[in-house]
């Protein structure tokens, strides 16, 4: 497991000496797995598959997320193709039936939200980078960490197996509203397919709870000397808050899934109203209510979207500061806003239910809290802008994607307060306006955060004890960025317009609808469908440079010098030897101007070696 | 020799106080010169001996224990949310009715009379918490732990083991009692699907029972750990965490039992 | 502290909300119309229970951690 200093090329690439003067090793190798002693030969299974090394587990999560996002993107393209050209059939499958379309919707939502946006930012990059950033050598519970990953992998396989279930995959959307989801005969795929979906999410909830316990305990207990709460990088604050939200939200999801399972198989009626007739059969022995499911699900569902975005917000702050060579504007306020967004995220779930017949008092309360959450979010945006104001950032790919995050966050965030008004939501609920809103602010911004993290932390991803750390290609990165940014706006901005015109969600077809008014309304949304679909195809195609970049850079990328971005956070410090004490001496982002020269003071350098 | 010595640097450079002093609560005065520094963990060695400053792994004898306890309590916080979600569904379902064909409002909630054996089960669970706590405290008996750390036998494990076994046995007794209660209800024709209240009765007792099965598993694991685990620190940790989980499940049961017995 | 005061102000704002007009789509409105006052009251209690528990755990964790190291 020891790095091979004789291998060619590793000594020559020492091109960026650290200005801080800290002693650094010549070789930028990733931190070795400290769990395994170099003398013990570990089996392949223990070392690569069931490894308890947090970096390996982080990479495993990232691979899982990459697979999920690829599948999810293909599904979304199929959805767009079907909406625009309904007569097109799939090669081995035939025409896309309405239940197929709804199954596509369900799998797209479930894969993207759970298996991409909950795993990659929090567990993928969190496992990879969090211990280094707080000066810990490993996470608090390494074996639980591995168990959580493998449980997630089993959950993904379970979900994908639902496509093969008898009757097809579930069609009730990622939100699984009863009675459609509670009655097996309510639709194709609602039998075994729905049960597999429930099993998958149940396993996923348990896995995420374990992972969040691990993250929280690591941040609370495993910080190094000198790493106080105020000196934690904002990424760590993002991971911490997201983990706390995870802990609270996924337990409620598990309870809701359990109740739904009992409704389906134990003859209970938590969610099925009395007298509900489905396909000529009377269901519902007791007085259930779908509203109960909505409350329980959205109590989970809203914190979930904050779990997806908070790590990205923390990363954006740090990346913007790094490349603009500026301190973060209002560091302590940024910490407070992170916590406040997390806390308020627990209070706003009712805004998904404005048209579900909430008690009007509750509707207003949720509306106010939803608009309240715009305040810390706006404070964050102002801080990002103030951090880079009148600076000359280096246009590296990581920086570009962080700027893209800010742009998409603002765009998507502006439609949030619109949807937060119950009276406006009455019209816009279940239209493509909502789809546009959450895709821009959660899917696109969240994914931009992931891209920024990939470009920024690629040396940490690529560098193993056996392989040197590499950088991704900047050229491909720029192509990727501009293509994705243009594609994202081109795809989702027109959806606002179609949504305002009334295009409903979950409709498998927009043509051939009986009823004159309905057909008339839908006909007005048709002209924009083709441009949106072309833009979506372009957006998907724009990811190919990224995949190419990944593969090429992993093999032949430029070797990364130590601390290639001249950052101040601890993950870029030289690898500590096993008996060295890791310590930090200041807050991160200590970039300064001295004698008209920009310099910086990393966290790990003590005062005495400067000035 | 110059007549006057002109300092090159006439502008007073702002002296920045080293940051450690102001933002680090463990050292310095908390910022205003009045408040004492917080939470200095020392072994009684006086100043400059803050254990929090030491590297990970050397921050005092209970560092790993505190980490594991932290993990268990965080997981329990999540578990509390799970039960609270079920309880809130309970309250909603209890007050939900429907309108029948004649516009009468019907609430079909018929409280499920809890079998009296549940009272006995509760007493058994409380007793098991007592035995569990005795076992836990015996693990931390100072003299015994020190002897064990020196390698002079395993007095703590020896003393705690029977209490752990007793706890596990009482736990199994509780679970058997729950099964008995279910059986008694079934004999009276009350099944999970019979009434909304029985949905919740079986669900709540079932979910709690499942957690207790995990708890018994943890206790059995602790017994094995006492026998086979090599470090006394690890033995203390596994017993401590199992017992805290057990106590929490007992407290949760008290709340759930009160709910089922008095709030239906 | 600056941020603490702002947080408390926000919480106070949230607690002082007036009633608003009803809203609803067809099926959900029927469900709502079939919800008599006791059930609405039960929902209110359940909402408060869930929010209070989660909020207490969240803020309690943050406060406790700010106090200790």
């Amino acid at each position: 497991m020891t790095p091979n200093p004789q291998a060619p090329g590793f000594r020559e690439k020492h091109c960026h000496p650290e200005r801080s003067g800290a002693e650094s090793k010549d070789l930028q190798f990733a931190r070795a797995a400290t769990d395994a002693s170099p003398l013990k030969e570990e089996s392949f299974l223990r070392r690569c598959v069931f490894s308890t090394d947090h970096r390996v587990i982080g990479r495993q999560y990232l691979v899982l997320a990459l697979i999920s996002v690829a599948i999810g993107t293909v599904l979304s393209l199929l959805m767009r193709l079907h909406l625009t050209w309904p007569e097109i059939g799939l090669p081995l499958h035939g025409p896309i039936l309405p239940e197929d379309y709804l199954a596509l919707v369900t799998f797209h939502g479930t894969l993207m939200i759970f298996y991409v946006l909950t795993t990659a930012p929090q567990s993928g990059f969190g496992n990879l980078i969090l211990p280094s950033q707080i000066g810990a050598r490993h996470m608090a519970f390494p074996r639980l960490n591995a168990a959580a990953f493998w449980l997630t992998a089993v959950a993904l396989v379970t979900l994908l197996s639902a496509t093969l279930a008898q009757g097809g995959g579930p069609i009730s959307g990622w939100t699984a509203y009863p009675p459609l989801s509670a009655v097996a005969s309510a639709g194709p795929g609602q039998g075994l397919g729905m049960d597999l979906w429930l099993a998958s999410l149940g396993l996923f909830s348990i896995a995420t709870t374990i992972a969040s316990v691990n993250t929280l305990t690591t941040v609370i207990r495993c910080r190094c000397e000198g790493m106080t709460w105020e000196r934690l990088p904002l990424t760590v604050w993002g991971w911490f808050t997201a983990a706390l939200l995870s802990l609270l939200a996924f337990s409620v999801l598990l309870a809701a899934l359990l109740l739904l399972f009992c409704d389906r198989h134990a003859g209970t009626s938590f969610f099925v109203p009395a007298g509900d007739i489905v396909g000529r059969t009377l269901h519902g022995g007791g007085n259930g209510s779908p509203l109960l499911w909505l409350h329980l699900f959205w109590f989970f569902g809203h914190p979930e979207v904050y779990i997806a975005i908070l790590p990205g917000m923390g990363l954006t702050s740090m990346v913007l500061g790094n490349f603009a060579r500026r301190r973060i504007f209002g560091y302590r306020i940024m910490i407070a806003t992170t916590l406040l967004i997390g806390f308020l995220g627990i209070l706003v779930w009712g805004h998904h239910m404005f048209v579900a017949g909430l008690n009007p008092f509750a509707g207003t309360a949720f509306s106010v809290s939803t608009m309240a959450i715009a305040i810390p979010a706006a404070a964050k945006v102002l801080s990002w802008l103030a951090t880079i104001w009148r600076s000359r950032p280096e246009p590296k790919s990581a920086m570009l994607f962080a700027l893209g995050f800010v742009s998409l966050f603002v765009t998507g965030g502006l439609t949030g307060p619109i949807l937060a008004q119950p009276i406006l939501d009455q019209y816009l609920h279940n239209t493509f306006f909502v789809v546009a809103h959450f895709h821009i602010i959660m899917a696109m911004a969240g994914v931009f955060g992931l891209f920024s993290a990939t470009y920024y932390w690629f040396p940490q991803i690529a560098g193993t004890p056996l392989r040197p750390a590499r950088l991704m290609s900047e050229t491909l990165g720029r192509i990727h960025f501009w293509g994705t940014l243009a594609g994202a706006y081109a795809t989702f901005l027109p959806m606002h317009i179609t949504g305002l015109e009334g295009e409903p969600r979950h409709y498998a077809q927009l043509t051939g609808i009986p009823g004159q008014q309905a057909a008339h309304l839908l006909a007005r949304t048709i002209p924009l469908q083709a441009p949106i679909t072309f833009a979506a195809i372009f957006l998907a195609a724009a990811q190919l440079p990224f995949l190419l970049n990944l593969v090429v850079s992993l093999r032949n990328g430029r070797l990364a010098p130590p601390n290639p971005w001249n950052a101040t956070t601890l993950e870029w410090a030289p690898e500590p030897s096993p008996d060295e004490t890791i310590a930090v001496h200041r807050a991160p982002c200590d970039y300064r101007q001295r004698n008209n020269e920009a310099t910086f003071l990393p966290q790990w350098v003590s005062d005495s070696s400067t000035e | 020799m110059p007549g006057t010595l002109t300092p090159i640097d006439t502008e007073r450079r702002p002296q920045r106080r080293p940051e450690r002093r102001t933002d680090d609560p463990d050292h310095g005065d908390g910022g205003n010169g009045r408040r004492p520094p917080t939470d200095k963990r020392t072994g009684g060695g006086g100043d400059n001996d803050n254990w929090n400053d030491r590297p990970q792994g050397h921050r005092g004898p209970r560092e790993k224990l505190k980490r594991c306890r932290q993990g268990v309590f965080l997981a329990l916080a999540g578990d509390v949310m799970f039960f609270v979600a079920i309880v809130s569904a309970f309250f909603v379902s209890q007050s939900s009715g429907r309108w029948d064909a004649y516009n009468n409002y019907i609430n079909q909630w018929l409280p499920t009379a809890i079998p009296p054996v549940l009272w006995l089960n509760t007493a058994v669970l409380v007793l098991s918490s007592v035995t569990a706590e005795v076992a836990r405290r015996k693990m931390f008996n100072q003299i015994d732990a020190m002897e064990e750390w020196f390698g002079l036998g395993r007095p703590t494990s020896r003393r705690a083991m029977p209490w752990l076994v007793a706890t596990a046995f009482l736990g199994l007794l509780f679970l058997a009692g729950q099964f008995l209660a279910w059986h008694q209800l079934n004999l009276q024709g009350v099944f999970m699907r019979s009434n909304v209240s029985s949905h919740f009765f079986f669900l709540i007792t079932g979910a709690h029972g499942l957690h207790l099965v995990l708890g018994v598993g943890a206790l059995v694991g602790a017994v094995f750990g006492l026998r086979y685990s090599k470090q006394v620190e690890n033995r203390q940790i596994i017993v401590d965490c199992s017992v805290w989980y057990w106590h929490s499940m007992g407290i949760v049961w008290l709340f759930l039992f009160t709910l089922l017995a008095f709030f239906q | 502290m600056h941020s603490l005061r702002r947080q408390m102000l926000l919480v106070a704002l949230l607690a002082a909300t007036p009633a608003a007009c009803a809203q609803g789509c067809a099926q959900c409105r029927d469900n709502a119309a079939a919800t008599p006052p006791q059930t609405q009251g039960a929902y209110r209690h359940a909402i408060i229970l869930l929010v209070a528990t989660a909020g207490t755990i969240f803020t309690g964790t943050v406060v406790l951690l700010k106090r200790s190291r």
Side-chain angles (χ1 to χ4, degrees):
Chain A
M1 289 283 210
T2 48
N4 182 4
Q6 307 305 333
F10 298 148
R11 287 216 183 266
E12 290 91 75
K13 292 286 182 174
H14 183 198
C15 34
H16 292 277
E18 287 182 23
R19 303 186 211 191
S20 55
E23 70 281 0
S24 63
K25 302 211 166 49
D26 286 346
L27 309 169
Q28 174 60 10
F29 274 98
R31 292 135 198 279
T34 49
D35 287 345
S37 82
L39 301 174
K40 192 167 63 170
E41 255 307 312
E42 289 190 315
S43 69
F44 172 76
L45 262 162
R46 173 77 169 83
R47 197 166 24 97
C48 297
V49 177
F50 295 115
S51 168
T52 53
D53 178 22
H54 64 94
R55 286 170 182 267
V56 175
I57 295 176
R59 288 184 203 113
Q60 287 172 330
Y61 269 111
L62 289 179
V63 167
L64 183 138
L66 197 59
I67 296 173
S68 306
V69 80
I71 301 176
T73 308
V74 167
L75 296 181
S76 70
L77 287 178
L78 290 176
M79 284 159 58
R80 286 304 324 166
L81 282 175
H82 178 73
L83 269 184
T84 316
W85 302 289
E87 62 279 358
I88 290 187
L90 296 179
L92 290 171
H93 181 268
I96 299 181
L97 303 169
E99 55 264 29
D100 297 332
Y101 181 82
L102 291 178
L104 287 173
V105 168
T106 307
F107 279 100
H108 172 76
T110 310
L111 277 170
M112 293 303 213
I113 294 182
F114 289 107
Y115 292 94
V116 178
L117 288 174
T118 313
T119 54
Q122 178 73 8
S123 303
F125 285 107
N127 271 314
L128 202 57
I129 305 291
L130 173 70
S132 322
Q133 275 199 343
I134 63 176
R137 290 179 192 270
H138 39 72
M139 298 284 274
F141 305 117
R143 272 174 295 204
L144 273 185
N145 206 1
F149 169 72
W150 286 106
L151 206 53
T152 310
V154 167
L156 179 63
V157 169
T158 312
L159 180 71
L160 294 175
S161 72
T163 49
L164 304 169
Q166 190 184 31
I171 62 172
S172 39
W174 84 284
T175 51
Y177 281 9
L180 176 59
S181 59
V183 176
S185 55
Q190 290 305 90
L192 181 61
M194 187 67 199
D195 284 329
L196 287 172
W197 186 90
L198 283 175
S200 163
L201 282 193
L203 290 173
F204 187 86
S205 306
I206 298 175
T208 312
T209 307
I210 296 175
S212 60
V213 166
N214 198 2
T215 307
L216 286 170
T217 311
T218 309
V219 173
I220 295 172
R221 295 231 76 106
C222 300
R223 287 166 288 140
C224 68
E225 170 190 335
M227 181 63 84
T228 63
W229 286 100
E230 281 86 9
R231 286 183 186 167
L232 280 176
L234 287 174
T235 37
V236 178
W237 276 108
W239 284 318
F240 172 80
T241 313
L244 195 49
L245 281 178
S246 267
L247 187 65
L248 300 172
F250 274 94
S251 310
V252 176
L253 176 68
L254 193 59
L257 293 173
L258 184 61
L259 292 176
L260 188 58
F261 184 81
C262 289
D263 261 8
R264 291 168 59 83
H265 293 285
T268 60
S269 55
F270 296 113
F271 305 125
V272 182
D276 193 26
I277 297 184
V278 175
R280 282 189 241 131
T281 320
L282 186 66
H283 293 268
N287 339 305
S289 171
L291 196 60
L292 182 59
W293 168 267
L294 264 72
H295 273 293
L296 287 174
F297 182 82
W298 286 115
F299 186 87
F300 150 76
H302 197 79
E304 163 71 358
V305 310
Y306 289 113
I307 293 165
I309 204 73
L310 278 170
M313 292 163 102
L315 175 73
T316 301
S317 285
M318 302 305 282
V319 166
L320 288 179
N322 190 344
F323 289 101
R325 319 302 298 165
R326 291 278 190 84
R327 297 171 173 259
I328 310 290
F329 186 82
Y331 200 86
R332 297 189 71 181
I333 294 186
M334 290 299 265
I335 297 177
T337 52
T338 308
L339 289 170
L340 195 56
I341 290 176
F343 176 70
L344 286 176
I346 300 175
L347 306 182
V348 301
W349 81 91
H351 69 226
H352 300 270
M353 301 164 55
F354 284 142
V355 296
L358 276 186
N359 175 2
F361 173 81
T364 312
F366 285 122
S367 171
V368 169
S369 55
T370 305
M371 286 187 281
I373 211 167
I375 299 176
K380 278 197 171 301
V381 171
L382 290 175
S383 166
W384 293 328
L385 294 177
T387 302
I388 59 172
W389 193 255
R390 302 191 90 180
S391 70
R392 291 217 196 97
E394 314 163 32
K396 301 281 181 192
S397 305
M399 175 64 165
L400 292 174
F401 275 101
L403 289 171
F405 180 99
V406 176
S407 160
L408 289 161
F409 188 78
V410 170
T411 313
L414 283 174
T415 50
I418 299 176
L419 291 166
Q421 317 295 321
I423 191 69
L424 293 175
D425 193 61
Q426 187 176 349
Y427 178 76
L428 293 169
H429 177 78
N430 242 20
T431 61
F432 263 67
F433 194 90
V434 180
V435 173
H437 165 72
F438 68 71
H439 272 96
I440 292 186
I441 194 169
M442 180 172 67
M444 285 298 111
V447 158
F448 268 56
L450 287 175
F451 285 140
S452 177
T454 311
Y455 285 98
Y456 185 65
W457 280 322
F458 196 72
Q460 312 267 350
I461 298 174
T464 67
L466 300 173
R467 292 194 175 147
R470 297 181 186 274
L471 290 168
M472 290 184 96
S473 150
E474 285 298 321
T475 319
L476 281 175
R478 281 197 202 116
I479 299 174
H480 176 217
F481 168 72
W482 289 110
T484 311
L485 189 70
Y489 276 117
T491 310
F492 296 111
L493 279 182
M495 282 191 190
H496 291 103
I497 301 174
T498 62
L500 280 167
E501 282 178 346
E503 183 188 354
R505 292 172 71 176
H506 304 149
Y507 264 46
Q509 61 190 72
L510 299 172
T511 52
I513 307 289
Q516 201 194 10
Q517 275 89 354
H520 185 65
L521 179 146
L522 289 173
R524 291 182 50 193
T525 68
I526 298 221
L528 276 174
Q529 298 304 322
I532 293 177
T533 305
F534 286 128
I537 295 175
F538 175 76
L539 178 60
Q543 308 315 306
L544 295 175
F546 173 70
L547 294 173
L548 185 66
N549 201 351
L550 269 180
V551 171
V552 165
S553 305
L554 274 172
R555 290 168 182 273
N556 289 329
R558 261 185 310 142
L559 289 171
N563 199 356
W565 314 120
N566 290 328
T568 56
T569 43
L570 206 50
E571 77 268 25
W572 299 108
E575 178 179 354
S577 56
D579 46 1
E580 185 184 327
T581 305
I582 308 175
V584 296
H585 304 271
R586 64 187 58 79
C589 307
D590 194 333
Y591 304 104
R592 6 173 117 176
Q593 295 274 345
R594 195 168 15 111
N595 301 330
N596 283 334
E597 196 193 274
T599 181
F600 68 105
L601 219 53
Q603 277 190 294
W604 61 90
V605 168
S606 64
D607 290 315
S608 54
S609 60
T610 59
E611 312 270 356
Chain B
M1 193 160 148
T4 53
L5 287 169
T6 311
I8 305 164
D9 200 339
T10 48
E11 286 200 35
R12 194 168 166 270
R13 260 205 265 149
Q15 287 290 332
R16 298 193 72 197
R17 296 178 71 205
E19 280 199 39
R20 268 173 75 112
R21 291 282 152 195
T22 51
D23 74 340
D24 188 352
D26 287 337
H27 308 93
D29 54 5
N32 55 10
R34 288 190 292 271
R35 204 177 313 142
T38 56
D39 193 19
K40 216 170 7 175
R41 284 154 206 239
T42 74
D47 217 356
N48 270 344
D49 187 28
N50 194 343
W51 283 349
N52 286 329
D53 282 348
R54 295 195 189 166
Q56 235 178 69
H58 296 94
R59 288 181 192 161
R62 297 205 161 182
E63 186 185 346
K64 200 166 164 192
L65 173 71
K66 287 200 171 122
R67 191 167 5 125
C68 293
R69 262 191 198 161
Q70 184 81 263
V72 168
F73 282 122
L74 285 169
L76 283 170
D79 218 6
V80 162
M81 280 312 295
F82 173 81
F83 282 109
V84 163
I86 296 185
V87 166
S88 55
F90 175 95
F91 283 127
V92 167
S93 297
Q94 192 181 33
S95 312
S96 295
R98 63 185 182 89
W99 302 94
D100 74 353
Y102 301 101
N103 242 4
N104 299 320
Y105 180 67
I106 304 176
N107 183 342
Q108 289 171 301
W109 179 278
L110 290 169
T112 303
I114 58 168
V117 70
L118 242 51
W119 288 93
L120 188 62
N121 288 346
T122 308
V124 163
L125 197 61
V126 170
L127 185 62
S128 74
S129 261
V130 170
T131 57
E133 184 63 16
V134 170
R136 193 183 72 85
R137 283 176 193 229
K138 287 205 184 292
M139 285 304 293
F140 288 100
N141 185 331
Q142 273 198 353
I143 297 175
D144 290 342
M146 192 125 70
E147 280 187 22
E148 198 158 332
W149 190 76
F150 279 131
L152 307 171
R154 292 193 179 189
T156 62
S157 311
R158 223 175 354 100
R159 297 210 174 109
M161 175 95 76
W163 293 98
L164 272 185
V165 172
T167 309
F169 173 73
L170 288 172
L172 286 173
L173 200 62
F174 175 88
L175 287 171
Q178 297 286 80
F179 267 119
L180 181 64
W182 281 15
H183 187 62
Q184 287 179 347
L185 281 176
N186 285 347
L187 283 177
Q188 293 175 11
V190 178
F191 301 92
M192 187 170 185
R193 58 179 175 276
S194 307
N195 187 284
V196 191
S197 69
S198 65
H199 298 340
F200 278 101
F201 181 89
F202 284 93
L203 179 71
I204 287 177
T205 49
H208 179 262
L210 188 63
H211 281 84
L212 266 192
V213 167
L214 294 173
V216 169
L219 287 172
V220 167
V223 166
F224 272 106
L226 284 184
R227 170 73 178 83
Y228 292 111
S229 169
K230 297 213 174 76
Q231 290 184 26
V232 62
E233 185 187 28
N234 291 343
R235 292 197 286 275
Q236 286 180 330
I237 288 173
I238 194 173
V239 170
D240 187 77
C241 293
S242 310
V243 168
W244 278 118
Y245 177 80
W246 192 262
H247 288 327
S248 311
M249 286 303 118
I251 296 174
V252 164
W253 172 250
L254 287 176
F255 276 109
L256 293 177
F257 178 69
T258 315
L259 183 78
L260 289 175
F262 299 110
F263 284 89
Q264 282 202 51
Chain C
M1 286 196 313
H2 194 203
S3 55
L4 182 64
R5 234 179 269 152
R6 189 188 312 148
Q7 285 176 32
M8 283 165 49
L9 178 64
L10 268 162
V11 171
L13 273 176
L14 291 174
T17 48
C21 327
Q23 66 299 102
C25 77
Q27 190 213 4
C28 301
R29 201 181 81 88
D30 288 342
N31 235 312
T35 315
Q38 310 101 285
T39 316
Q40 286 181 15
Y43 269 117
R44 257 203 304 278
H45 292 144
I47 290 174
I48 292 175
L49 178 64
L50 269 177
V51 168
T53 315
T56 310
I57 295 179
F58 191 96
T59 43
T61 308
V62 171
V63 163
L64 280 175
L65 292 177
K66 284 281 189 185
R67 284 220 186 149
S68 65
R69 188 197 185 247

